[in-house]
Amino acid sequence: MQENRRFDHYFGTYPGADGIPPGVCLPNPDGGPCIRPYHDTNDVDLGGPHDWDNAWGCIDGGKMDGFIQEAHRAKTYRHEPADNGLPAELHLTQPYDPQDIMGYHDYREIPNYWNYAHLYALQDRMFESAASYTLVAHLYMLAAQSGGFVTPRLKWRTLPVWRGGRPKTFDFPEITLLLGSGKVDWKYYVTSGKLPDTDDAHVVGTQNEREQHPYKFSFWNPLPAFPKVMNDPSQRSRLVDTSQFYEDVNRGKLPQVCWVIPSADVSEHPPASVRSGMAYVTGLVDAVMQSPDWNSTAIFVAWDDWGGFYDHVVPPKVDRYGYGIRVPALVISPYAKQGYIDHEVHSFESWLHIVEERFGVAPMTARDEYADDMLQCFDFTQRPRRPVVLAATTQGSPYPQPLQTVEHIH
């Protein structure tokens, strides 16, 4: 799970995908000419604010035209008094141009991501589970809910949200406990380093300087806030550093289910480098491809929220919490259909559904019970395809890589 990019931002010009429509031009709050999408050649973007209120402001009742307005609000953001430790006023520490959120990248900046789409499966209907920020997204990734928590900000009093900041612990079911009870091997890998984001999703262009590690709660690692995980040594021991991921892969001991969470420098969370994030993800994928586990593996790559960047697709309304704005998503596997674009609607509960289906685990909520299982991305009549190892560098491998010859079992 990477950070803070939306589909149009990475694949808005990818052939055959539901990308940026012609003629898009968003209102300019300053009263000048409307603002159009543009090819952004920069390695570093700043994005926009991406909390609960920003999401609904961007969506703007389905018009999808509020992105520039929300970005303007990020220049200086005031907070209501709250016991969540936030300062009364937060200012940007570097110049910020709200038009940044209209930029898009392509194979020239992120060639490996485009190669994965070309060689495997690209999903152009993956929506963030809830219209909110990182912590909520990661809770849905694990539990198909957030316990009603959507934002620590107090002004949203009309919604069933927690008052006075986030809860200190969570006690609803989440998938790792169910996997553990069924003796399914799992691990949650956390990349050591700085936290990818600020404490408040309204702040743009700065990052938290605090360190993250496997046993420490963060928005990206919520499992330490589940007492049933931390109070059980067998469960707690499965929260490990990403360095262990490479050891496990090299030994052919990859868990049956695992998650890999980045640190700031490789997260792609603005202002992190797009290319550095791509190189990091490629390194993870290459390690699996070159391991004994490749022929029995499916890798899902996605980004946890839209990061304030413009996207044109209206999220389906499934309940009071979501869906949120569309994010990029890839399926990489020796059984993935080559060059397949999946147009089915997905959310982060789709990953839960396929895990539950595969290992016979009961669903936790209606969200994961009825989510699409993504099996249309696979063709299990084809022989497992050999790995395509890409350059795990900031330059990546040239796009497009040659397509493979696909053999089918008769």
Side-chain angles (χ1 to χ4, degrees):
M1 178 73 99
Q2 292 294 97
E3 292 286 315
N4 289 48
R5 304 287 165 170
R6 47 80 176 156
F7 188 89
D8 279 345
H9 183 58
Y10 269 8
F11 294 102
T13 58
Y14 187 83
D18 184 1
I20 303 168
V24 168
C25 201
L26 266 59
N28 188 336
D30 289 334
C34 61
I35 300 169
R36 300 182 184 278
Y38 66 95
H39 177 220
D40 184 355
T41 61
N42 294 315
D43 184 38
V44 171
D45 311 297
L46 292 181
H50 44 279
D51 206 340
W52 172 263
D53 54 332
N54 308 124
W56 296 111
C58 289
I59 295 169
D60 191 19
K63 292 186 286 187
M64 305 301 288
D65 65 356
F67 294 83
I68 298 291
Q69 178 67 47
E70 293 301 314
H72 269 260
R73 295 172 64 193
K75 290 183 176 179
T76 298
Y77 217 102
R78 294 183 178 275
H79 296 273
E80 295 181 358
D83 60 351
N84 54 17
L86 296 174
E89 190 171 9
L90 292 166
H91 295 276
L92 295 178
T93 58
Q94 54 186 297
Y96 175 62
D97 180 2
Q99 297 188 38
D100 175 86
I101 59 95
M102 295 299 288
Y104 63 84
H105 298 296
D106 61 19
Y107 64 91
R108 287 166 285 188
E109 294 79 45
I110 48 172
N112 287 1
Y113 289 149
W114 276 50
N115 275 318
Y116 289 140
H118 176 63
L119 293 167
Y120 302 101
L122 172 68
Q123 296 172 317
D124 67 3
R125 281 293 186 279
M126 176 65 78
F127 296 91
E128 184 187 358
S129 295
S132 192
Y133 75 122
T134 291
L135 174 57
V136 178
H138 282 254
L139 288 170
Y140 271 88
M141 179 184 71
L142 290 164
Q145 64 163 304
S146 61
F149 171 73
V150 293
T151 177
R153 294 174 58 77
L154 291 180
K155 71 179 183 178
W156 295 91
R157 301 181 190 278
T158 59
L159 289 165
V161 301
W162 294 87
R163 303 289 193 260
R166 72 163 183 85
K168 297 186 183 302
T169 61
F170 301 104
D171 61 1
F172 44 84
E174 54 83 17
I175 190 70
T176 69
L177 293 171
L178 300 179
L179 294 175
S181 65
K183 308 304 180 185
V184 176
D185 190 23
W186 66 270
K187 284 183 181 175
Y188 195 92
Y189 297 97
V190 178
T191 306
S192 295
K194 303 296 183 184
L195 292 173
D197 198 359
T198 59
D199 280 332
D200 176 34
H202 290 87
V203 182
V204 176
T206 59
Q207 288 172 326
N208 198 309
E209 290 301 310
R210 291 186 289 120
E211 297 282 343
Q212 67 177 11
H213 59 77
Y215 287 176
K216 182 178 181 180
F217 168 84
S218 73
F219 296 168
W220 306 266
N221 181 22
L223 287 175
F226 286 84
K228 291 180 181 178
V229 173
M230 294 305 287
N231 294 338
D232 182 340
S234 67
Q235 299 286 325
R236 187 174 64 248
S237 66
R238 298 176 184 276
L239 278 62
V240 296
D241 191 90
T242 300
S243 59
Q244 184 67 45
F245 173 86
Y246 290 99
E247 294 182 22
D248 291 343
V249 168
N250 290 337
R251 294 186 297 115
K253 298 295 185 182
L254 195 66
Q256 290 165 287
V257 182
C258 65
W259 297 259
V260 187
I261 305 302
S263 62
D265 290 344
V266 294
S267 68
E268 298 165 66
H269 188 298
S273 160
V274 167
R275 290 182 177 273
S276 293
M278 178 190 71
Y280 155 80
V281 170
T282 304
L284 297 169
V285 174
D286 284 353
V288 177
M289 285 184 166
Q290 297 174 93
S291 81
D293 293 320
W294 167 244
N295 279 356
S296 60
T297 298
I299 302 171
F300 303 96
V301 183
W303 287 254
D304 70 349
D305 68 53
W306 85 108
F309 293 104
Y310 168 74
D311 194 84
H312 79 280
V313 174
V314 182
K317 179 79 170 172
V318 294
D319 56 31
R320 69 185 70 187
Y321 306 115
Y323 293 140
I325 294 168
R326 196 171 59 146
V327 297
L330 297 160
V331 180
I332 303 168
S333 172
Y335 302 98
K337 295 176 181 176
Q338 184 169 236
Y340 181 70
I341 300 178
D342 178 13
H343 301 300
E344 293 293 324
V345 172
H346 304 295
S347 64
F348 301 164
E349 295 82 55
S350 290
W351 306 323
L352 294 171
H353 188 114
I354 197 171
V355 167
E356 292 160 355
E357 196 170 66
R358 169 66 181 83
F359 296 105
V361 175
M364 297 170 289
T365 73
R367 282 286 200 96
D368 53 320
E369 181 177 6
Y370 296 109
D372 183 85
D373 63 10
M374 304 183 292
L375 288 182
Q376 65 272 12
C377 293
F378 301 90
D379 181 357
F380 295 108
T381 70
Q382 71 184 28
R383 297 187 186 278
R385 290 194 277 141
R386 67 185 185 278
V388 180
V389 176
L390 303 179
T393 65
T394 55
Q395 295 305 307
S397 294
Y399 169 83
Q401 291 290 298
L403 292 172
Q404 294 179 298
T405 299
V406 179
E407 298 180 14
H408 288 84
I409 301 169
H410 298 292

